[in-house]
């Protein structure tokens, strides 16, 4: 069954950018943009194009009686492809016409500050490539990345045209999402969706983040919508995590698949799960026990994977190579592809349930606590369980927690995962703050300087409150020093979580 995703939202919300990313990175999808079809007719000087041009310059949509037949003919040519629809259907009459021959699988309504985007939008007219001075700037100001030709503002991006198009959207197109609201429509911030697609493109996480997609699925209340959404998820490679998790069958023996250095002594290791469609089965905050026999002795250490339940068939861990009496760390770094380690879990006494809520403690004695503000202080590879929680919060469109990550290292060269962290901070700047700090700065270091328990760092932390939790993970001396320092500035022990 062909899957058809309709992206709807007011002018300038990012429909075209998102649609092109889907087509670029997810196999089998074609892109249909009503605006591109109309602009092509205008460029070609067709009779339809001449009549449509006057409406666009005035900031108005081309009337349905003029445009419907043209767009329906064009979209029918793509009926044998998975399809991302942008700008069509945009009225109830068009919805009826499309549903009669090419029913939509899912409607995603995008929502961002639109006027600011449009005022900074530039277009390469011949190709249709779109740029934004804030979100997606060209490499050379004013020039197209591919051809080097000049970029222009669209004729319908004037202030007056933008205002009129907003009015038209409120009167007509905003009703389209409502028409699909019986289980088939979800609302998403397109900046966040763009972030998920960027991560998917570099292989950091799965399509749209799969467990976020699954949360949408769970929130759909109507069986028809759930079934069609499920079909769509399957089309983009999603298998709902209702399958048995890898750890549910007991201890595992996992083979090393690959390893990728992140800096001079930290490496990301990928291990294969027993089945290609399995997930590891940990909740945010949990960890596993990894064991091996080294020098005739069984050695066990706890590690928090950096991949979550969006990763099918594998699990990733980030491990630092220590010198001295750290036999397992050195053993893992010396492993070759195909060699195995023993895994057991889940372990851990802290679980993040989402929307600021934690389960704290073990078994039946667990206490449920909720916070509106979370500060995570990580030392080196201690970032791994905290990153699980931060990403889980940021990937949940309904989680409004305010987040602050303080990532502490000895020197600048010790910092790792910087590209991923910077992307999180850029995309979620409305509620995620990122601070890097080192205790031994180099000449070019421009961020914070100081150990996590220093006055320079402590002054960056939000004031103590029962709505504010501070999460800590790192070397034991660091954790003890920070706990003592936090108590000294008024933070209650029950509001400090140590992983």
């Amino acid at each position: 069954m062909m899957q058809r995703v309709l992206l709807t939202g007011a002018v300038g919300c990012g429909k075209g950018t998102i649609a092109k990313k889907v087509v670029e990175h997810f196999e089998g999808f074609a892109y249909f943009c009503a605006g591109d079809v109309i602009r092509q007719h205008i460029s070609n000087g067709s009779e339809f194009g001449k009549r449509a041009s006057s409406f666009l310059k005035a900031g108005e949509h081309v009337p349905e009686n003029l445009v419907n037949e043209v767009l329906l003919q064009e979209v029918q040519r793509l009926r044998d492809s998975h399809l991302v629809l942008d700008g069509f259907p945009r009225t109830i009459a068009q919805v009826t016409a499309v549903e009669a021959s090419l029913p939509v699988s899912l409607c995603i309504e995008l929502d961002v500050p639109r006027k600011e985007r449009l005022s900074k939008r530039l277009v390469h007219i011949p190709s249709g490539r779109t740029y934004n001075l804030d979100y997606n700037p060209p490499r050379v100001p004013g020039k197209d990345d591919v051809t080097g030709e000049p970029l222009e503002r669209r004729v319908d991006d004037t202030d007056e045209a933008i205002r009129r198009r907003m009015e038209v959207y409120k009167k007509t197109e905003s009703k389209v999402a409502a028409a699909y609201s019986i289980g088939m429509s979800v609302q998403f911030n397109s900046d966040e969706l763009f972030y998920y697609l960027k991560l998917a493109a570099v292989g950091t996480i799965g399509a749209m983040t799969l467990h976020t997609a699954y949360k949408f699925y769970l929130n759909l209340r109507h069986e028809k919508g759930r079934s069609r959404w499920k079909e769509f998820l399957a089309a983009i490679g999603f298998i709902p995590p209702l399958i048995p998790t890898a750890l549910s069958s007991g201890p595992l023996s996992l083979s090393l698949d690959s390893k990728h250095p992140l800096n001079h002594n930290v490496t990301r290791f990928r291990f294969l799960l027993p089945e290609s469609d399995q997930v590891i089965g940990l909740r945010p905050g949990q960890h596993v026990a990894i064991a091996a026999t080294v020098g005739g002795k069984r050695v066990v250490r706890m590690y928090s994977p950096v991949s979550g339940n969006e990763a099918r068939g594998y699990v990733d861990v980030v491990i630092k190579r220590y010198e001295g009496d750290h036999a397992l760390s050195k053993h893992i770094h010396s492993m070759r592809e195909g060699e195995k380690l023993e895994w057991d879990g889940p372990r851990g006494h802290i679980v993040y349930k989402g929307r600021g809520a934690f389960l704290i403690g073990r078994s039946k004695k667990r206490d449920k606590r909720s916070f509106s503000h979370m500060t995570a202080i990580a030392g080196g590879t201690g970032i791994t369980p905290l990153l699980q929680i931060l990403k889980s919060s940021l990937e949940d469109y309904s989680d409004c927690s305010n987040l602050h990550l303080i990532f502490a290292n000895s020197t600048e060269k010790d910092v790792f995962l910087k590209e991923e962290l910077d992307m999180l901070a850029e995309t979620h700047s409305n509620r995620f703050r990122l601070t890097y700090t080192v205790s031994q700065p180099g000449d070019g270091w421009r961020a914070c300087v100081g150990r996590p328990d220093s006055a320079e760092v402590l002054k960056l932390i939000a004031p103590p409150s029962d709505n504010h939790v501070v999460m800590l993970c790192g070397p034991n001396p660091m954790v003890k020093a920070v706990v003592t320092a936090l108590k000294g500035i008024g933070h209650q022990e029950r509001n400090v979580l140590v992983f």
Side-chain angles (χ1 to χ4, degrees):
M1 178 180 176
M2 294 297 105
Q3 302 300 320
R4 302 176 186 96
V5 184
L6 170 62
L7 297 179
T8 185
V11 56
C13 68
K15 298 187 292 292
T17 302
I18 297 300
K20 289 173 185 176
K21 287 292 180 181
V22 171
V23 173
E24 181 180 356
H25 299 297
F26 301 110
E27 185 177 355
F29 275 88
Y31 172 44
F32 179 84
C33 175
D36 286 352
V37 172
I38 295 170
R39 283 186 286 274
Q40 187 62 50
H41 274 272
I42 294 173
S43 177
N44 294 340
S46 70
E47 185 61 31
F48 165 75
K50 293 176 182 177
R51 298 178 66 186
S53 177
S54 61
F55 291 99
L56 291 181
K57 289 180 179 179
E60 298 177 359
H61 290 313
V62 183
E64 286 186 78
N65 61 351
L66 182 61
V67 78
N68 280 4
E69 183 177 354
V70 172
L71 295 181
L72 282 171
Q73 287 177 352
E74 293 292 333
V75 80
Q76 286 285 353
R77 298 180 184 181
L78 301 172
R79 64 179 306 114
D80 294 328
S81 299
H82 297 310
L83 192 58
V84 182
L85 296 159
D86 170 6
F88 183 74
R90 70 189 336 150
T91 68
I92 299 302
Q94 290 176 349
V95 168
T96 303
V98 169
E99 287 295 305
S101 56
L102 298 170
V104 168
S105 307
L106 176 72
C107 173
I108 299 180
E109 184 179 13
L110 302 179
D111 180 26
V112 292
R114 306 169 189 98
K115 184 174 180 180
E116 292 80 359
R117 278 196 163 212
L118 286 170
S119 64
K120 297 182 179 181
R121 179 162 70 176
L122 295 172
V123 180
H124 179 244
I125 300 298
S127 69
R129 281 184 290 273
T130 302
Y131 301 85
N132 183 283
L133 296 179
D134 288 338
Y135 298 95
N136 182 35
R139 288 193 287 267
V140 177
K143 303 291 185 181
D144 176 51
D145 288 351
V146 177
T147 66
E149 295 172 346
L151 300 176
E152 304 173 30
R153 287 192 73 183
R154 275 175 30 179
V155 295
D156 52 349
D157 276 354
T158 64
D159 290 343
E160 177 59 22
I162 290 170
R163 184 188 65 77
R164 296 192 63 178
R165 288 157 73 195
M166 294 289 191
E167 292 177 355
V168 170
Y169 173 80
K170 291 176 183 178
K171 292 178 180 178
T172 59
E173 193 175 346
S174 61
K175 298 176 183 178
V176 170
Y180 286 109
S181 64
I182 304 180
M184 291 167 50
S185 176
V186 293
Q187 188 178 68
F188 217 139
N189 178 292
S190 60
D191 288 336
E192 293 185 345
L193 186 54
F194 183 57
Y195 155 73
Y196 297 142
L197 291 169
K198 285 173 73 176
L199 285 187
V202 299
T204 307
I205 56 176
M208 291 170 144
T209 75
L210 296 181
H211 77 263
T212 297
Y214 187 59
K215 287 177 182 176
F216 283 151
Y217 169 74
L218 292 179
N219 287 335
L220 297 177
R221 292 172 292 178
H222 301 274
E223 187 57 38
K224 179 182 177 182
R226 287 169 68 95
S227 64
R228 295 182 75 175
W229 177 221
K230 192 173 181 180
E231 289 173 2
F232 168 72
L233 294 179
I236 63 170
F238 174 70
I239 298 178
L242 300 178
I243 58 175
T245 61
L247 288 170
S248 65
S249 57
L252 303 170
S253 179
L254 303 184
S255 299
L256 176 64
D257 179 59
S258 61
K259 49 186 179 181
H260 302 282
L262 301 179
N263 66 16
H264 63 101
N265 61 3
V266 176
T267 298
R268 186 177 190 134
F269 296 87
R270 174 162 296 182
F271 289 84
L272 298 179
L273 298 175
E275 302 293 338
S276 62
D277 62 347
Q278 284 183 319
V279 298
I280 187 62
L282 295 177
R283 301 171 73 181
Q286 292 183 319
H287 57 263
V288 293
I290 295 181
T293 300
V294 182
K297 296 182 179 179
R298 178 178 168 81
V299 186
V300 181
R301 285 204 65 178
M302 306 300 162
Y303 291 101
S304 298
V306 290
S307 59
N309 291 330
E310 79 283 350
R312 288 180 289 131
Y314 67 88
V315 58
D316 289 353
V317 286
V318 169
I319 298 175
K320 180 177 179 179
R321 179 184 175 90
Y322 290 95
E323 301 302 328
D325 189 22
H326 292 275
L328 187 57
S329 164
K330 289 188 286 187
H331 173 76
I332 295 174
H333 275 259
S334 68
M335 287 177 64
R336 298 179 179 179
E337 293 179 9
E339 294 183 336
K340 296 186 176 183
L341 289 176
E342 299 173 42
W343 294 56
D344 195 12
R347 305 286 180 86
H349 65 286
I350 301 171
V351 172
Y352 184 62
K353 292 178 62 65
R355 302 184 185 182
F358 289 81
L359 285 178
I360 305 167
R362 303 185 186 280
S363 190
K364 297 180 180 179
K365 297 181 179 180
R366 284 189 168 178
D367 180 28
K368 184 174 181 179
R369 300 282 309 283
S370 293
F371 306 91
S372 59
H373 191 103
M374 293 185 269
T375 298
I377 304 177
T381 51
I383 194 174
T384 54
L386 307 183
L387 184 58
Q388 283 183 19
I389 293 170
L390 296 174
K391 286 170 64 175
S392 176
S393 172
L394 293 172
E395 291 164 5
D396 184 351
Y397 69 100
S398 64
D399 193 327
C400 299
S401 308
N402 291 308
L403 311 174
H404 183 191
L405 170 62
I406 299 173
F407 189 20
N409 288 276
S410 296
T411 68
E412 183 176 1
K413 73 174 184 177
D414 295 320
V415 178
F416 58 95
L417 295 176
K418 189 174 187 301
E419 181 178 348
E420 181 175 346
L421 294 174
D422 288 346
M423 191 182 295
L424 285 170
E426 176 185 353
T427 306
H428 303 282
S429 58
N430 60 323
R431 67 183 187 96
F432 177 51
R433 180 184 175 193
L434 173 62
T435 299
Y436 295 104
T437 184
V438 299
S439 54
Q440 302 170 39
D443 292 339
W445 183 253
R446 295 291 180 268
C448 183
V449 175
R451 297 179 182 276
D453 62 323
S454 67
E456 287 299 312
V457 174
L458 292 175
K459 70 181 182 182
L460 303 176
I461 300 173
S465 162
D466 279 341
N467 289 321
H468 176 202
V469 63
V470 180
M471 304 177 289
L472 299 174
C473 190
N476 286 334
M478 182 210 88
V479 170
K480 291 179 181 178
V482 174
V483 168
T484 300
L486 289 172
K487 289 180 180 178
I489 58 174
H491 290 266
Q492 300 296 313
E493 185 175 354
R494 66 195 188 98
N495 296 330
V496 177
L497 302 181
V498 177
F499 291 78

